[in-house]
Amino acid sequence: MKALRVVLAVVLFVPLALFSIDFLDWLPRSLSWLMRVQAVPALVAHSLFIILLLALLTLMFGRLYCSVLCPLGVFQDIINRLARRGRPNSGKKRRFRYVEPISWLRWTLLGVFLLSLIAHRQSNVAVTVLDPYSNFERMAVNLFRPIAVGINNFLELLFKMPFYHITLHTITIWSVIFAGVVFLGVGVTAALRGRLFCNTICPVGSLLGLLSRRALFRIAIDESKCTHCGRCTRRCKSECIDFKTAHIDASRCVVCFNCLDSCKESALGYRNTLLRRAAASAEEAATINAADGYVAATVLPARLSRRTFVAASIAATATLPAAGRILPAPAEPHSSKLTPITPPGSMALKHFTAHCTGCQLCVTHCPQQILKPAGLQFGVNYLFKPHLVFFETAFCNYECNKCSEICPNGAIEKISIEQKQTTQIGIARFERELCVVITEGTDCGACSEHCPTQAVRMETYKDTLRLPKVYAELCVGCGGCESICPVTPVKAINVVANSVHQPVQKPEEEETKEIEVNDFGF
Amino acid sequence: MERRDFIKKTVTAGAVSALSFEQLFAAAGGSKMVMGATPDMVAVMGGEPAQMLAKALEALGGVEAYVKKGQSVVIKPNIGWDKKPELAANTNPELVGALVEACYKAGASKVSVFDHTCDNWQKCYLSSGIEAAAKAVGAEVLPANDESYYTEVPLPNGIKLKTAKIHKAILDADVWFNVPILKNHGGAKMSIAMKNFMGIVWDRQFFHSNDLQQTIADICTWSKKPALNIVDAYRILRKNGPQGRSINDATVLKSLIVSRDIVAADTAAIKMFNQVEAMSIEQVGCIAHGEKLNLGTSQIDNLNIQRIKL
């Protein structure tokens, strides 16, 4: 059983993790289904089918989701495995013990999460911060991806093709700090206390826990065989087996099956509980009472570490604003960038802000690296969410719809290339008095050159000089003009976001002109 | 084993190119004597790209006159845009493929192709058909999308542009060919051989903010001149350049203009262009600037031009 769980986890985790850092675009886009079956993306995107499937899975087999599908869960198992916590022969200090759940925190966070999920149009910040999938992705995008890019650049030095040098433009400080705090917090907790995060902080864990305590198949202890030796408890990374009372807290069990082969008496089994429901409920009532007694005896050390954990979390959170003060204040944004430019397919700023949980998968996959995670410049509700930032020849490619194809949340709805080319995400605003044609009296036209829709045209100004003119009805807001404009620090042409994306017509085709040329002309 | 071989080859190639840098100039200088008999410019009309290239090269003394055995070659087409060949925004892929083949036939050790694109480079390489055409005949298609590929070189003769970051592949190569497509251009008026130089440099924004026409001429003063300027006029972009809006902006001329003289090649190309759309030479300021910088002549009537109709 355990082998099957491990195989499933590896088979699902490895491609997901690789796809999260696949900046070279080597993997097929279809792998994004691994993200789509994650619980929070499914909830946010209202994917009823996936939600039902996950609920059914949990009602059948318990929190298998947490053990094989959730990347943050598997990440913790990897850390835990490396720390050898709870392994046989790993010394007394490295063993798990039974502890009571920190219920008040667990249910409070679940409540906050659900509130945020329901009121996502007001603020989904709690969903953004608590979603285990998004947290894993942010670690992958902001911590693991730069390492992978470093390795890539090293390989490029050695072998040249097929590697090519990459300069990362999409690392922003807030996301890195938060991902780092999560990495350390979850990493250390996982190394010391197994799945404590999943059973205390994670709202998906708590939600599935409500179902898993009624799961059809559950790990159960056959009391007639149990010798109360405690081996199972020492191996249980959910810290949910109380060997003294032979009780297992099914709401916290992530069905990792580690306990099964730890039992020398084969007293533990993964059993169909349907037949014994009546008996089981009576049993449960009894064990709860017994557990209370047990807790009273052991509560002191457990509380202590729990207290440290809570204190550590609060301290970590408290450092965030402090870090903000240490960091250099960001430059005052240009008047054209007060509203974030959201990717084509996101339809409107409101829709995007309500549905994006800042997983930043699109940040990794944008071939132009123009999707940048925001800090607090657009308010707390836009924290970690990507917005378009144009720079040196990097703008939204006219022939690309990749972000819309991989977004698991429906924050960027899937759109075709054709739809993308007729969606106006913003409008270029030309600042005549800054343009080099005016200030220097020389040819330029870089903006017009880069415009894929002829929305920026060069029109006669004086002598042979021509000046850009914006035809807003053709502009899609791709930023080609802004990216290449040579005027610094403030560009002479800037895209101003559309809070609600607008449809535009494709430029009309002109009539073909038949031209016969039979001479060289010189 | 393969990887080891590859490293060895790369290292040797690098060493060889470093050694033969001086020889290149000696060879280029020496060949001028031979070229007295060859025309200053060859213009071909009425054939397919590969066929016209073969005719032009033959008239210019064969590609062997420019590529010696064992030399490394860079071909610099215009691959600026994520557009299909029919839209005439990029150099004709068949022409690039044929030139790669010709270089290998002459004994080139390695032929590389790159451009500093405007759209996403992978998409440009793919859509233009140039990556496929070049790779099919054994060329190496190099990325040029990152500053780390570029090295700063001095341009002592430049007026406004005194230094530029140029792609290392072209710095390291023994020979390079400038292979633009003939296009109308919103900013520079025309994009031909001189404008194509902007694709070998990193910081193009400097050009735009410091007198585009002058800086285009300035970059062409770089001491390492292309062996030939091969202007693709199989399809030309007559308007809405440099990207073009639709296939209606492209016109099929089935022509090719080849010359060592970059100013002459561009002048001839503009004259050809004028049969389709009006464009005065004066408007394309880089021509006059180039002439002033002794890059070549716009008085092409005085040149020995061989015109070939197929």
Side-chain angles (χ1 to χ4, degrees):
Chain A
M1 287 301 270
K2 187 194 163 186
L4 183 69
R5 187 264 300 174
V6 172
V7 167
L8 269 176
V10 169
V11 164
L12 293 168
F13 178 79
V14 171
L16 181 143
L18 290 177
F19 191 67
S20 307
I21 58 167
D22 180 30
F23 54 89
L24 290 172
D25 198 21
W26 281 358
L27 300 171
R29 264 170 228 196
S30 52
L31 274 181
S32 64
W33 72 263
L34 283 167
M35 281 72 183
R36 277 177 224 281
V37 299
Q38 298 295 325
V40 173
L43 283 169
V44 171
H46 305 299
S47 312
L48 270 182
F49 177 71
I50 289 165
I51 295 169
L52 283 176
L53 210 66
L54 293 179
L56 209 65
L57 179 81
T58 311
L59 277 173
M60 286 289 289
F61 303 109
R63 284 169 60 184
L64 206 57
Y65 173 86
C66 303
S67 261
V68 303
L69 256 177
C70 174
L72 196 64
V74 179
F75 165 75
Q76 289 176 78
D77 286 352
I78 293 169
I79 297 282
N80 194 257
R81 181 76 177 75
L82 294 174
R84 290 196 63 80
R85 207 30 71 165
R87 310 290 306 170
N89 316 321
S90 58
K92 211 169 188 180
K93 283 191 173 171
R94 290 174 167 266
R95 291 170 181 170
F96 292 114
R97 341 161 262 187
Y98 173 78
V99 289
E100 281 290 289
I102 310 171
S103 299
W104 64 271
L105 188 57
R106 203 179 173 196
W107 305 125
T108 309
L109 287 177
L110 178 61
V112 170
F113 170 82
L114 289 176
L115 205 68
S116 181
L117 191 68
I118 294 161
H120 61 281
R121 293 204 174 271
Q122 278 70 45
S123 169
N124 75 346
V125 69
V127 179
T128 301
V129 170
L130 290 172
D131 171 25
Y133 156 72
S134 296
N135 273 305
F136 176 80
E137 282 300 312
R138 282 195 290 268
M139 284 175 3
V141 172
N142 296 294
L143 306 176
F144 310 154
R145 184 175 61 123
I147 297 170
V149 168
I151 294 171
N152 167 77
N153 289 351
F154 180 68
L155 292 173
E156 191 268 340
L157 276 180
L158 290 183
F159 305 112
K160 302 290 172 201
M161 303 295 270
F163 299 97
Y164 52 89
H165 190 275
I166 289 183
T167 304
L168 265 185
H169 296 281
T170 49
I171 296 295
T172 51
I173 199 74
W174 282 101
S175 293
V176 174
I177 290 177
F178 190 81
V181 168
V182 170
F183 179 79
L184 286 176
V186 175
V188 169
T189 321
L192 300 178
R193 300 284 305 275
R195 293 294 198 109
L196 184 63
F197 172 86
C198 308
N199 287 324
T200 311
I201 309 282
C202 178
V204 176
S206 305
L207 202 58
L208 294 180
L210 292 174
L211 300 176
S212 70
R213 64 173 80 201
R214 294 273 170 271
L216 182 62
F217 284 90
R218 264 180 266 166
I219 306 228
I221 301 175
D222 183 346
E223 282 199 70
S224 62
K225 288 185 189 165
C226 179
T227 61
H228 304 279
C229 69
R231 279 201 184 83
C232 51
T233 298
R234 294 200 287 272
R235 289 214 61 193
C236 177
K237 61 192 184 211
S238 287
E239 303 181 317
C240 72
I241 307 179
D242 183 357
F243 71 90
K244 291 190 179 160
T245 60
H247 166 65
I248 297 173
D249 179 354
S251 82
R252 285 188 288 156
C253 171
V254 295
V255 284
C256 70
F257 306 119
N258 283 355
C259 54
L260 290 191
D261 49 354
S262 74
C263 185
K264 300 221 158 140
E265 316 298 329
S266 302
L268 282 113
Y270 187 48
R271 297 193 189 110
N272 185 335
T273 54
L274 191 66
L275 302 170
R276 306 189 308 159
R277 178 170 283 175
S281 59
E283 211 173 297
E284 210 168 273
T287 45
I288 286 170
N289 288 337
D292 283 347
Y294 172 71
V295 169
T298 58
V299 79
L300 205 63
R303 274 276 158 78
L304 239 164
S305 57
R306 201 183 298 161
R307 216 170 275 165
T308 16
F309 170 77
V310 175
S313 323
I314 292 169
T317 326
T319 55
L320 280 177
R325 249 173 270 133
I326 301 163
L327 294 168
E332 197 67 21
H334 183 245
S335 67
S336 67
K337 296 292 179 278
L338 297 176
T339 306
I341 307 172
T342 59
S346 60
M347 303 191 292
L349 178 61
K350 270 193 180 157
H351 172 90
F352 186 68
T353 315
H355 291 87
C356 174
T357 56
C359 80
Q360 303 176 359
L361 185 65
C362 55
V363 172
T364 293
H365 284 268
C366 175
Q368 299 287 79
Q369 286 200 60
I370 54 164
L371 284 172
K372 247 184 161 169
L376 287 164
Q377 70 266 45
F378 304 119
V380 72
N381 284 340
Y382 208 84
L383 190 63
F384 307 140
K385 294 168 192 183
H387 66 122
L388 273 73
V389 179
F390 312 119
F391 65 98
E392 284 164 11
T393 76
F395 52 95
C396 190
N397 199 305
Y398 196 55
E399 306 282 345
C400 174
N401 61 347
K402 195 165 183 193
C403 54
S404 92
E405 287 199 326
I406 59 167
C407 177
N409 283 17
I412 313 173
E413 297 274 8
K414 194 169 173 167
I415 52 168
S416 66
I417 297 275
E418 182 76 19
Q419 285 168 307
K420 182 244 171 82
Q421 292 176 345
T422 50
T423 300
Q424 184 186 61
I425 59 171
I427 303 173
R429 187 175 77 191
F430 178 54
E431 318 266 354
R432 194 184 152 94
E433 47 305 331
L434 292 176
C435 180
V436 297
V437 178
I438 304 273
T439 57
E440 309 286 323
T442 56
D443 273 334
C444 180
C447 50
S448 161
E449 184 181 325
H450 279 67
C451 179
T453 63
Q454 302 284 325
V456 184
R457 291 188 207 160
M458 300 306 289
E459 301 198 342
T460 304
Y461 164 55
K462 63 176 184 190
D463 305 328
T464 65
L465 285 180
R466 290 191 292 165
L467 195 66
K469 182 171 179 198
V470 178
Y471 288 81
E473 67 278 12
L474 291 173
C475 179
V476 291
C478 71
C481 52
E482 181 186 323
S483 74
I484 197 67
C485 176
V487 183
T488 51
V490 177
K491 303 265 176 173
I493 192 162
N494 296 285
V495 176
V496 183
N498 277 351
S499 297
V500 179
H501 294 182
Q502 300 296 332
V504 282
Q505 293 301 313
K506 273 188 131 179
E508 266 178 48
E509 300 234 335
E510 286 166 44
E511 269 182 49
T512 322
K513 187 172 154 191
E514 285 300 330
I515 302 155
E516 268 289 308
V517 174
N518 291 313
D519 211 1
F520 290 101
F522 53 86
Chain B
M1 198 55 201
E2 240 180 53
R3 192 179 295 172
R4 197 172 292 165
D5 277 349
F6 181 64
I7 298 175
K8 269 188 198 164
K9 273 182 196 162
T10 324
V11 170
T12 1
V16 166
S17 64
L19 281 174
S20 53
F21 196 68
E22 308 291 315
Q23 292 165 12
L24 166 74
F25 286 100
S31 61
K32 256 182 195 161
M33 305 282 283
V34 189
M35 282 178 59
T38 58
D40 300 315
M41 186 191 295
V42 177
V44 193
M45 188 176 253
E48 288 306 298
Q51 190 188 4
M52 292 194 292
L53 178 73
K55 286 281 176 199
L57 288 175
E58 189 190 325
L60 287 162
V63 74
E64 298 78 14
Y66 308 92
V67 179
K68 301 277 174 273
K69 233 189 172 101
Q71 286 188 320
S72 62
V73 179
V74 163
I75 294 170
K76 162 60 180 80
N78 186 335
I79 328 178
W81 306 98
D82 180 12
K83 301 272 183 191
K84 294 192 183 81
E86 299 76 50
L87 296 168
N90 304 310
T91 304
N92 188 296
E94 286 171 52
L95 177 67
V96 176
L99 184 58
V100 172
E101 253 185 322
C103 292
Y104 276 126
K105 261 187 199 154
S109 59
K110 183 176 79 175
V111 182
S112 310
V113 178
F114 80 86
D115 188 16
H116 181 189
T117 63
C118 297
D119 279 331
N120 176 275
W121 66 282
Q122 283 133 316
K123 298 200 102 179
C124 291
Y125 282 12
L126 182 74
S127 303
S128 67
I130 289 178
E131 180 174 25
K135 279 188 173 168
V137 284
E140 185 181 43
V141 180
L142 301 172
N145 61 311
D146 197 277
E147 194 168 357
S148 65
Y149 295 121
Y150 295 78
T151 301
E152 190 154 298
V153 298
L155 298 166
N157 299 324
I159 304 287
K160 297 212 164 157
L161 189 71
K162 293 290 184 187
T163 62
K165 285 191 166 178
I166 293 184
H167 198 290
K168 285 172 186 163
I170 221 160
L171 293 172
D172 294 343
D174 295 319
V175 187
W176 75 281
F177 291 97
N178 185 20
V179 193
I181 177 170
L182 175 53
K183 292 197 289 183
N184 159 258
H185 195 283
K189 312 287 163 45
M190 293 295 292
S191 171
I192 324 171
M194 292 180 77
K195 176 77 174 67
N196 200 38
F197 262 74
M198 278 178 79
I200 68 171
V201 297
W202 174 250
D203 183 17
R204 292 190 286 228
Q205 281 174 337
F206 182 87
F207 285 64
H208 285 285
S209 54
N210 290 277
D211 191 347
L212 184 60
Q213 300 291 0
Q214 182 61 54
T215 44
I216 288 174
D218 288 349
I219 185 64
C220 296
T221 63
W222 183 39
S223 54
K224 193 168 184 175
K225 300 278 186 289
L228 287 173
N229 301 289
I230 304 173
V231 180
D232 166 30
Y234 186 82
R235 290 186 197 89
I236 67 159
L237 191 63
R238 65 187 168 90
K239 59 180 190 159
N240 291 325
Q243 288 197 63
R245 194 189 313 182
S246 72
I247 198 147
N248 297 333
D249 293 341
T251 301
V252 179
L253 291 189
K254 292 200 175 189
S255 300
L256 189 73
I257 298 166
V258 185
S259 177
R260 281 183 75 85
D261 183 329
I262 195 165
V263 180
D266 278 10
T267 308
I270 295 169
K271 289 194 170 184
M272 181 178 276
F273 184 86
N274 263 287
Q275 299 181 96
V276 182
E277 294 278 334
M279 175 63 70
S280 71
I281 303 265
E282 293 71 41
Q283 278 201 71
V284 192
C286 63
I287 302 277
H289 294 312
E291 208 160 14
K292 232 180 259 171
L293 288 165
N294 295 318
L295 294 173
T297 177
S298 66
Q299 304 305 311
I300 58 172
D301 296 340
N302 304 332
L303 295 179
N304 170 16
I305 303 176
Q306 188 173 339
R307 297 172 181 81
I308 304 168
K309 278 202 179 175
L310 296 173

